[in-house]
Amino acid sequence: MKRRKTRTIHLGGVPIGSGHRISVQSMTKTDTRDAVATINQVKHLEGMGCEIIRVAVPDLEAAEALKIIKKHIAIPLVADIHFNYRLALKAIENGADGLRINPGNIGSRANVEKVVKAAADVNAPIRIGVNSGSIEKEYKNAIKGEGKELVETTARAMARSALKHIGILEKLKFHQIKVSLKATDVQTTLLAHELLAKECDYPFHIGITEAGTLLTGAVKSAVGISMLLSKGYGDTVRVSLSAPPEREVMVAHSILRSLGLRERGPEIISCPTCGRCTIDVEEIATEVERRLSGSSAPVSIAVMGCVVNGPGEASRADYGVAGGRGKGVIFRHGKVVRKDVDESKIIDELISEIDELKEPH
Amino acid sequence: MKRRKTRTIHLGGVPIGSGHRISVQSMTKTDTRDAVATINQVKHLEGMGCEIIRVAVPDLEAAEALKIIKKHIAIPLVADIHFNYRLALKAIENGADGLRINPGNIGSRANVEKVVKAAADVNAPIRIGVNSGSIEKEYKNAIKGEGKELVETTARAMARSALKHIGILEKLKFHQIKVSLKATDVQTTLLAHELLAKECDYPFHIGITEAGTLLTGAVKSAVGISMLLSKGYGDTVRVSLSAPPEREVMVAHSILRSLGLRERGPEIISCPTCGRCTIDVEEIATEVERRLSGSSAPVSIAVMGCVVNGPGEASRADYGVAGGRGKGVIFRHGKVVRKDVDESKIIDELISEIDELKEPH
């Protein structure tokens, strides 16, 4: 997997670009004006491995709340703003580390100059965010057809829209830019990146927009983000789900881990169970995962129900249990450490074997 | 996405190979000896779009149950057998459409000949299933190292193990073969396919083994299966989850749809919600998806909470709702058909607009 070469931008303390690890971000779902609720959500997300947070700034009250929010959170904050340059100025004034704003949509050149100057003064990057559903009329009119033609005309319109916004910033000698190109389908998203990658070296913020509900949205995001990353596109990742933002962060880390790009937190290897299975693998695996969800230690834990594949797989994981007829065997780095463990005690005994979870004295 | 060219095999009425659409399969989690429970699970899976079903056959009683099970199900049945050639003969006798058995693990050449003859007589294909956790000692001993070296030595051992089993069948002039190469990580799985693809043209049954619990397992499977399919590998798909098999089928179809390879059932496009959102998108989208889960009509339905992206996206979907301040607007093929719909009635009114769900008179 070879990453597309990009320049590096800095969002607060987080470098974004091909020389740096792919960062995970999310967006709060609280009312930004409710600073306490927003802070609590951000702090929870930080604990889950969220490295950049975006908040919606739909009005002045929300822009004012950033001042308090910034004081209580550790990760860089991006203000998400549509159309209103005054909100952008206020967000920067109140400590936003970056903006998500499309300079072509905020009115006069004077407005744009003010926002760009404010951002440049504090080294705040700007994300240009192009979404297949909200492309400007001048490009949208060229979208037509069905199937392959629709994919191509939409992707081209997205890339052109991005280039227009990029051009506005470049004219003002502003280059702290990242770009997102989000469509609701994987093919269009992929092609839009291919087209834009030929035209600029700004880092990409990637994701599939409006991916859907928790499970199907996670699958669509995993497919789309894998395909993008496998082509080298993507320097920071946002998974968009109609679900709590903690899930977005968890899914993003799962995707990066599955691709071998990053490791964070326990990985559960558990068998799908079949007619041979004699312990409740689903329940045990789910409960082990739940109990370990707060840990960032990258350990692998196998939960296997079957004598055919169980011991083999379990012995390759750092820790593991292989069950059979209501009893379990517990493995540790390839060696059996406990035998004949009663099913009701398997979880406790397994967890007590995991060194990485033990608190230091 | 260009598929690797393979020969075609036939599993009951389902052709498998590069000339045919990628089929979705699953495995029952019932005790196969309980024919009624197994039949019910299979019939439910058929309704969800499962096209091939595998059942564990760990003993003679399970092999006998196949006779009853076969009478009541419509999709081809594969008997999953380890080590015991007599169970394979009995499964074929009782109507199994295919076997999952590794001929190198069932003893003498005479045993193998009996199984191959029985399978050939009824045109039942054999799947050779190599799993990274249960490779024969002769190949397992060559697995070593960490990181890249571990990936390479494991993938090579898997491909060699598969070639040994293939060789045994080919010597008996049996070519109705498909092969699976499953590791618990994506990199090893991918490399094993690359190695084996150079040596044979049998179709691949793909999946990531022991992928984990519902959400993280679905993500890992989506990443792995996308990467395989994007390289052209894969003629039939099994998603393995520690979760009900219905979820495996649903996730498999989601993966294929996200890749633009197949369409089945409604697709929900729903926004991730943010501080701008004024209706409960998560609840509405989840409930719409639940109510439509029994339908195979490939319609797209947008559920959007925000005035910024909502109307644009919703208008591109076949049907959609865009909310705002407790009221909704319902779209139908790009046109607003209902305005000011109360939030409590949005789901009912949206669903009543969907032609594809209306029963024919």
Side-chain angles (χ1 to χ4, degrees):
Chain A
M1 217 171 270
K2 204 170 165 257
R3 275 171 80 178
R4 159 182 172 257
K5 211 169 171 209
T6 76
R7 63 174 77 203
T8 295
I9 62 165
H10 287 84
L11 186 58
V14 178
I16 298 171
S18 58
H20 304 275
R21 71 176 186 185
I22 297 163
S23 46
V24 168
Q25 55 177 288
S26 186
M27 188 170 186
T28 50
K29 305 198 174 184
T30 51
D31 184 334
T32 309
R33 294 168 298 191
D34 184 343
V36 173
T38 304
I39 289 163
N40 286 339
Q41 189 163 70
V42 175
K43 292 183 85 71
H44 197 218
L45 291 170
E46 285 175 6
M48 305 280 296
C50 181
E51 296 158 322
I52 296 165
I53 191 70
R54 180 158 51 112
V55 302
V57 180
D59 59 27
L60 211 60
E61 203 185 330
E64 289 294 359
L66 299 187
K67 202 190 294 190
I68 308 163
I69 295 167
K70 267 298 292 177
K71 272 189 200 143
H72 292 86
I73 66 172
I75 54 177
L77 181 147
V78 175
D80 189 284
I81 292 158
H82 291 266
F83 312 123
N84 190 328
Y85 83 101
R86 285 199 178 84
L87 294 178
L89 295 177
K90 186 54 84 178
I92 292 287
E93 186 187 324
N94 285 337
D97 300 286
L99 298 174
R100 190 276 204 207
I101 195 165
N102 287 348
N105 301 345
I106 58 173
S108 69
R109 174 163 174 145
N111 293 355
V112 177
E113 282 177 3
K114 280 178 203 154
V115 170
V116 166
K117 187 179 180 316
D121 283 350
V122 296
N123 269 321
I126 293 177
R127 166 153 72 99
I128 290 164
V130 175
N131 188 307
S132 62
S134 54
I135 301 177
E136 303 89 331
K137 230 180 205 155
E138 55 188 301
Y139 305 108
K140 199 173 183 169
N141 287 338
I143 297 176
K144 62 177 181 178
E146 282 183 28
K148 209 179 155 202
E149 190 186 13
L150 181 61
V151 166
E152 284 173 5
T153 54
T154 307
R156 210 171 309 133
M158 290 170 72
R160 282 187 185 152
S161 169
L163 282 169
K164 184 191 78 171
H165 296 298
I166 289 171
I168 293 170
L169 295 181
E170 285 181 339
K171 231 178 234 165
L172 298 170
K173 310 243 182 304
F174 187 90
H175 300 278
Q176 284 283 94
I177 299 171
K178 60 176 173 159
V179 185
S180 64
L181 297 161
K182 298 187 184 180
T184 58
D185 71 285
V186 174
Q187 290 71 36
T188 306
T189 305
L190 198 54
L191 183 56
H193 283 80
E194 276 168 15
L195 295 172
L196 189 62
K198 290 180 194 147
E199 309 288 338
C200 71
D201 69 347
Y202 298 111
F204 285 149
H205 159 125
I206 60 168
I208 300 296
T209 193
E210 288 103 29
T213 55
L214 181 58
L215 184 61
T216 49
V219 167
K220 195 177 186 181
S221 297
V223 170
I225 290 170
S226 309
M227 296 301 288
L228 286 166
L229 290 172
S230 75
K231 303 269 184 192
Y233 305 130
D235 304 289
T236 178
V237 169
R238 157 93 194 282
V239 170
S240 300
L241 300 174
S242 302
E246 288 80 3
R247 295 300 197 155
E248 298 185 347
V249 172
M250 185 185 149
V251 169
H253 277 288
S254 286
I255 294 169
L256 294 176
R257 174 161 53 200
S258 298
L259 288 166
L261 295 172
R262 288 188 65 177
E263 279 202 336
R264 189 190 184 279
E267 174 172 30
I268 308 293
I269 291 164
S270 62
C271 76
T273 82
C274 67
R276 283 184 205 94
C277 189
T278 50
I279 61 165
D280 192 336
V281 169
E282 182 180 347
E283 192 188 299
I284 295 171
T286 306
E287 176 61 14
V288 169
E289 192 170 45
R290 195 191 63 76
R291 289 211 208 168
L292 303 185
S293 66
S295 167
S296 60
V299 293
S300 62
I301 296 158
V303 179
M304 313 295 294
C306 147
V307 290
V308 176
N309 294 318
E313 292 294 340
S315 70
R316 287 192 69 179
D318 296 326
Y319 303 92
V321 55
R325 303 184 199 289
K327 296 273 182 185
V329 170
I330 291 175
F331 290 84
R332 200 188 137 93
H333 304 302
K335 297 225 157 47
V336 175
V337 287
R338 304 191 194 192
K339 278 187 187 174
D340 284 329
V341 180
D342 199 76
E343 185 167 350
S344 65
K345 290 181 184 151
I346 283 178
I347 297 171
D348 289 338
E349 301 223 357
L350 172 64
I351 285 174
S352 72
E353 284 292 336
I354 303 176
D355 295 332
E356 287 81 351
L357 300 178
K358 285 171 190 157
E359 285 188 73
H361 290 287
Chain B
M1 219 172 273
K2 205 169 166 256
R3 274 172 80 178
R4 160 182 171 257
K5 211 169 172 212
T6 75
R7 63 174 77 203
T8 296
I9 62 166
H10 288 85
L11 186 58
V14 179
I16 298 171
S18 58
H20 304 277
R21 72 176 184 183
I22 297 164
S23 47
V24 168
Q25 54 177 289
S26 186
M27 188 170 186
T28 50
K29 305 198 175 186
T30 51
D31 185 332
T32 309
R33 295 168 297 189
D34 184 344
V36 174
T38 304
I39 290 163
N40 286 339
Q41 190 163 69
V42 175
K43 293 183 85 72
H44 197 217
L45 292 170
E46 284 176 5
M48 304 280 296
C50 182
E51 295 158 323
I52 296 165
I53 191 69
R54 180 158 52 110
V55 302
V57 180
D59 59 27
L60 212 60
E61 204 185 328
E64 289 295 358
L66 299 187
K67 203 190 292 189
I68 309 163
I69 295 166
K70 267 299 292 179
K71 272 189 199 143
H72 293 88
I73 67 172
I75 55 177
L77 180 146
V78 176
D80 188 285
I81 292 158
H82 291 267
F83 313 123
N84 190 328
Y85 83 100
R86 285 199 177 84
L87 295 177
L89 295 178
K90 186 54 84 179
I92 292 286
E93 186 188 324
N94 285 338
D97 300 286
L99 297 174
R100 190 274 205 205
I101 194 165
N102 288 348
N105 301 344
I106 58 173
S108 70
R109 174 157 176 150
N111 294 355
V112 177
E113 281 177 4
K114 282 178 204 156
V115 171
V116 165
K117 186 176 182 316
D121 283 351
V122 296
N123 270 323
I126 292 177
R127 166 154 71 98
I128 290 163
V130 175
N131 188 307
S132 62
S134 55
I135 301 177
E136 303 89 331
K137 229 178 208 157
E138 54 188 302
Y139 305 108
K140 198 174 185 170
N141 287 338
I143 298 175
K144 61 177 182 178
E146 282 183 28
K148 210 178 157 203
E149 190 186 13
L150 180 62
V151 167
E152 284 173 5
T153 55
T154 307
R156 210 171 309 133
M158 290 170 71
R160 283 186 185 153
S161 169
L163 282 169
K164 185 192 76 171
H165 296 298
I166 289 170
I168 293 170
L169 295 181
E170 285 182 340
K171 232 178 236 167
L172 298 171
K173 309 243 181 305
F174 187 91
H175 300 278
Q176 285 282 94
I177 299 171
K178 60 176 173 159
V179 185
S180 65
L181 298 161
K182 297 188 184 179
T184 57
D185 71 285
V186 174
Q187 289 71 35
T188 306
T189 305
L190 198 54
L191 183 56
H193 284 80
E194 277 169 15
L195 295 173
L196 189 62
K198 289 179 195 148
E199 309 286 338
C200 71
D201 70 346
Y202 297 111
F204 286 148
H205 158 125
I206 59 169
I208 299 295
T209 192
E210 287 104 28
T213 54
L214 181 57
L215 184 61
T216 48
V219 167
K220 195 177 185 180
S221 297
V223 170
I225 290 169
S226 311
M227 296 301 289
L228 286 165
L229 290 172
S230 75
K231 303 270 182 189
Y233 306 130
D235 304 289
T236 178
V237 168
R238 156 91 193 284
V239 170
S240 301
L241 301 174
S242 302
E246 289 81 2
R247 295 301 196 154
E248 297 185 347
V249 172
M250 183 186 152
V251 169
H253 278 287
S254 285
I255 294 169
L256 293 175
R257 173 161 54 200
S258 298
L259 287 166
L261 295 172
R262 289 188 64 178
E263 279 202 336
R264 187 188 186 280
E267 174 173 31
I268 309 293
I269 291 165
S270 62
C271 76
T273 83
C274 66
R276 283 183 205 93
C277 189
T278 51
I279 62 166
D280 192 337
V281 169
E282 182 180 346
E283 192 187 298
I284 295 170
T286 305
E287 177 61 14
V288 169
E289 192 170 47
R290 195 191 63 75
R291 290 211 208 168
L292 303 184
S293 66
S295 167
S296 61
V299 293
S300 61
I301 297 157
V303 179
M304 313 296 293
C306 146
V307 291
V308 176
N309 294 317
E313 292 294 339
S315 71
R316 288 192 68 180
D318 296 327
Y319 303 92
V321 55
R325 301 183 201 287
K327 296 272 184 186
V329 171
I330 291 176
F331 290 84
R332 201 189 136 94
H333 304 302
K335 299 225 157 45
V336 174
V337 287
R338 304 189 194 194
K339 279 186 188 175
D340 284 329
V341 180
D342 199 77
E343 184 168 350
S344 65
K345 291 181 185 151
I346 282 178
I347 297 172
D348 288 339
E349 301 222 357
L350 172 64
I351 285 175
S352 73
E353 284 292 336
I354 303 176
D355 295 333
E356 287 81 353
L357 299 179
K358 284 171 191 156
E359 286 188 75
H361 291 286

